[in-house]
Amino acid sequence: MSSLNDIIKIDISPLELSDYVRSLNWQIEDAALADGLYVFNSPESKYFQIQFSTSSFDDTKEEERVFTAIQRLSEYYKKSAKTILDEAREVNDDIFSLRYYSENKKVNSMSFEEALDAIEATRQLLLSAGSSVVNPTLFHPKLNRTEPQELIKKARFRHTKEGSFVIKVSFPFESLHGNEKPFSRRALEKAGSASKIIENAIIKGETRDLFEQQKSSDSPEISYNFCEALTRLFDDERELSLDLNFEWSKTSTVYFPADSIRVKFPYSYKTRIEEVKETFTPNRQTISDSFVGTVDVLSGEIGYQNKRTGEITLALLVEGEIIKAKANLTPDQYDTAVEAHRTPGSYIQVKGVLKQRKRIYVIENIESFSLM
Amino acid sequence: MPLTTQNIESELSHAYLHAVCAASGMSCEVGGRHSDNTGIDARITFRGDLPHPYIRHTELYVQLKATKASPAEIDGKFSYFFQGMDRYNRWRTDDTSQQKILVVLFLPPNSSDWMVCSPEQLIMKKAAYWTSLYGAPESENSSGQTIYIPRNNILTPEGLRILVNNSVQNRILYEG
């Protein structure tokens, strides 16, 4: 008898549990409804049933009945009661999950910093896909359109799974008018489709053709922003591979039948994805302006009169994005950079010309460099 | 290390229950006492046609006891001392959907009579009886309560089938 101790709390409604078993093709006994009960027969036999109240699970009697129902489902599907409950909670949601794995070791954790990066990259990935639904283009200068932002607000962060580190995000499936897909579904389909196109292109060795293919399309699936988000998902410290899964709410499959999408990105694919990203990099015009940012890396050397001078790397805020740019500083400017780098939370302002090189930006003709 | 006498009695009660369930076409699953504080030792599951318009899958939850003490019989009922007032009070007032019964195996006083095996037959002597505690009277006792189990409630394959049929129609009440 499986232990019920792994269920902490039944926090689903009778309707959600009913939706869940219906999505698995359990058949309802209509006669039980008059007695205030849901009674469902399993898909394979009318002699395997679950029974629970139609109204609520609040009192002890009904709580025990639903525990028994969960237990029977657990036995029937050979899954833990906790898994059954998780699935029932998500029955009306589309789920995007990102699993980190390694071929030769178990992954139970990742560094806090990497986790934060992965979550932020996931956010960018979803915003990019949502932006591409609204405006299919190869590059989104800003990811602040209303609908993609609303998409993020509706997203729920879910429990991860044991045995690997999984980021799981769900979106309630709310169909507006019968046969109209909600924005969240269209955005996730876009993200899944874009991921799949990139995966297939890498496998077939056709990544160099991707940009032209997408450019010639009336509705490109892939954007620079999406590619950048993908590269940021990788854990470089431990070189972990990625599984991306797009699963559709079970209750939606009646009206919108669709297969789930699974994409595998072994770590070895990262350089290919970066190459794809390169080809999608927009031709930013040279920008002459004042920029605000932080000092990331000091790479200067001792120069004339024993003063440090030379190259630094800045993280600049440009058009709503953080861009890494190198700059060559005079000794006085370098001192300011050292001060900024040493003081947590310090920002600098640099007036100059930002130019895009092959793999990096540089800021030249620096007129001023000061602490804010 | 060999089992204690109490362990042997307990195992024999499980064996009796399993045998009766199997003979009546029901499954019996042992519960883990360490994982469940309500004193449920086993779960009997029946799946099949029942005298009910839509229930075809039901369960009984069993607490198992065994004793080699000869019970007193009064008015066709065996007396048995139920230990633990907390559990007595919980079970006598428990109206949750899980129907619970107490099964007591009355063993012969002499352990050599408990089981006889030969190439021709396997014999366990004497029998187990069941009762529900739901609706049993309140008690002022502190350590336990004497309950009365009808002699008619002998746990046989046919008796178990009748019990299960009745359980899907009505709450099983204490008859002591």
Side-chain angles (χ1 to χ4, degrees), chain B residues 3-16:
Chain B
L3 295 178
T4 64
T5 305
Q6 280 91 349
N7 289 151
I8 295 172
E9 291 173 15
S10 171
E11 291 299 313
L12 286 175
S13 69
H14 277 278
Y16 184 103

Side-chain angles (χ1 to χ4, degrees), chain B:
Chain B
M1 197 150 96
L3 295 178
T4 64
T5 305
Q6 280 91 349
N7 289 151
I8 295 172
E9 291 173 15
S10 171
E11 291 299 313
L12 286 175
S13 69
H14 277 278
Y16 184 103
L17 183 66
H18 275 271
V20 166
C21 285
S24 65
M26 302 185 199
S27 68
C28 179
E29 195 179 340
V30 175
R33 265 171 286 170
H34 60 280
S35 66
D36 191 335
N37 291 328
T38 60
I40 293 170
D41 296 316
R43 182 182 69 179
I44 300 170
T45 302
F46 175 72
R47 296 195 281 127
D49 292 320
L50 286 161
H52 194 281
Y54 50 77
I55 301 291
R56 288 182 289 277
H57 180 171
T58 190
E59 286 154 347
L60 281 176
Y61 293 83
V62 181
Q63 182 170 156
L64 276 168
K65 299 290 183 191
T67 177
K68 61 183 180 181
S70 297
E73 186 173 346
I74 303 166
D75 293 335
K77 294 171 188 166
F78 296 119
S79 67
Y80 176 76
F81 186 72
F82 186 93
Q83 284 198 322
M85 285 310 292
D86 282 347
R87 188 160 297 157
Y88 175 77
N89 284 322
R90 272 207 307 273
W91 279 47
R92 70 176 193 84
T93 56
D94 182 353
D95 66 348
T96 62
S97 60
Q98 291 180 345
Q99 294 241 44
K100 298 179 178 66
I101 58 168
L102 173 71
V103 170
V104 182
L105 175 64
F106 292 107
L107 290 162
N110 193 335
S111 61
S112 62
D113 291 333
W114 289 353
M115 181 179 281
V116 174
C117 296
S118 74
E120 287 76 38
Q121 56 198 354
L122 167 68
I123 298 175
M124 274 184 71
K125 291 230 179 131
K126 307 215 58 188
Y129 297 80
W130 66 267
T131 184
S132 167
L133 290 179
Y134 183 68
E138 218 174 320
S139 169
E140 302 279 320
N141 295 350
S142 57
S143 65
Q145 172 66 29
T146 299
I147 61 171
Y148 298 92
I149 307 173
R151 175 185 261 280
N152 289 341
N153 288 5
I154 183 169
L155 192 69
T156 62
E158 189 186 335
L160 180 58
R161 186 62 200 255
I162 294 171
L163 170 59
V164 166
N165 283 348
N166 290 340
S167 74
V168 292
Q169 296 178 85
N170 300 299
R171 167 71 54 172
I172 307 295
L173 299 175
Y174 178 66
E175 297 169 278

Side-chain angles (χ1 to χ4, degrees), chain A residues 242-254:
Chain A
L242 298 176
D243 262 349
L244 277 69
N245 288 301
F246 300 82
E247 293 178 60
W248 315 121
S249 91
K250 293 181 174 56
T251 50
S252 73
T253 52
V254 176

Side-chain angles (χ1 to χ4, degrees), chain A residues 140-357:
Chain A
H140 305 285
K142 295 185 197 301
L143 295 173
N144 60 357
R145 285 179 181 265
T146 305
E147 277 173 297
Q149 292 287 339
E150 287 298 313
L151 174 74
I152 297 299
K153 284 181 187 168
K154 285 187 180 172
R156 306 288 303 158
F157 203 53
R158 291 281 185 184
H159 292 299
T160 61
K161 295 181 184 177
E162 281 183 38
S164 56
F165 189 83
V166 177
I167 292 173
K168 200 168 164 189
V169 184
S170 71
F171 300 86
F173 185 87
E174 295 157 344
S175 181
L176 299 167
H177 307 288
N179 55 358
E180 196 176 320
K181 285 185 194 175
F183 182 80
S184 56
R185 170 61 66 88
R186 289 185 286 146
L188 279 180
E189 283 179 338
K190 184 75 76 172
S193 170
S195 305
K196 204 68 188 166
I197 291 171
I198 294 172
E199 182 198 32
N200 287 337
I202 293 173
I203 290 169
K204 293 178 186 171
E206 293 172 357
T207 50
R208 291 181 196 281
D209 304 328
L210 257 183
F211 178 73
E212 291 303 326
Q213 284 167 7
Q214 293 291 305
K215 191 176 166 188
S216 61
S217 165
D218 291 332
S219 180
E221 303 277 349
I222 302 172
S223 66
Y224 163 80
N225 316 71
F226 188 84
C227 294
E228 195 197 29
L230 273 185
T231 59
R232 288 174 60 195
L233 286 175
F234 284 92
D235 180 338
D236 292 322
E237 195 182 318
R238 291 189 293 174
E239 298 186 351
L240 298 177
S241 303
L242 298 176
D243 262 349
L244 277 69
N245 288 301
F246 300 82
E247 293 178 60
W248 315 121
S249 91
K250 293 181 174 56
T251 50
S252 73
T253 52
V254 176
Y255 300 105
F256 301 105
D259 293 330
S260 51
I261 300 173
R262 288 190 160 69
V263 182
K264 268 181 142 39
F265 286 134
Y267 187 78
S268 56
Y269 283 18
K270 189 190 172 191
T271 40
R272 295 298 171 86
I273 297 173
E274 281 176 339
E275 287 167 8
V276 171
K277 183 187 102 174
E278 281 271 314
T279 61
F280 277 77
T281 303
N283 281 328
R284 283 199 168 109
Q285 292 173 359
T286 298
I287 307 172
S288 182
D289 204 347
S290 277
F291 305 98
V292 173
T294 56
V295 177
D296 252 16
V297 180
L298 298 164
S299 317
E301 293 171 344
I302 302 284
Y304 181 65
Q305 291 184 336
N306 235 16
K307 288 192 168 184
R308 242 178 222 284
T309 182
E311 189 180 90
I312 67 166
T313 306
L314 298 163
L316 299 176
L317 181 64
V318 181
E319 293 177 346
E321 256 185 270
I322 302 293
I323 287 175
K324 299 281 168 97
K326 289 195 189 290
N328 241 306
L329 302 183
T330 63
D332 287 341
Q333 291 167 344
Y334 201 95
D335 282 345
T336 304
V338 168
E339 180 69 30
H341 191 257
R342 192 163 45 207
T343 312
S346 281
Y347 287 88
I348 55 92
Q349 185 170 38
V350 54
K351 187 171 179 188
V353 178
L354 182 69
K355 291 181 181 175
Q356 187 180 354
R357 296 277 185 258

Side-chain angles (χ1 to χ4, degrees), chain A residues 1-3 5 29 31-32 35 37 39 41 45-49 51 60-61 64-65 68 71-72 75, chain B residues 29-32 35 40 42-43 47-49 53-59 61 95-98 100 171:
Chain A
M1 194 157 34
S2 60
S3 169
N5 288 344
E29 285 278 353
D35 295 333
L37 284 179
V39 176
N41 303 322
S45 166
K46 66 179 183 177
Y47 295 116
F48 197 108
Q49 297 180 317
Q51 301 130 19
T60 314
K61 181 173 182 173
E64 271 202 353
R65 215 198 298 263
T68 303
Q71 195 173 49
R72 288 185 187 175
E75 288 168 12
Chain B
E29 195 179 340
V30 175
S35 66
I40 293 170
R43 182 182 69 179
R47 296 195 281 127
D49 292 320
Y54 50 77
I55 301 291
R56 288 182 289 277
H57 180 171
T58 190
E59 286 154 347
Y61 293 83
D95 66 348
T96 62
S97 60
Q98 291 180 345
K100 298 179 178 66
R171 167 71 54 172

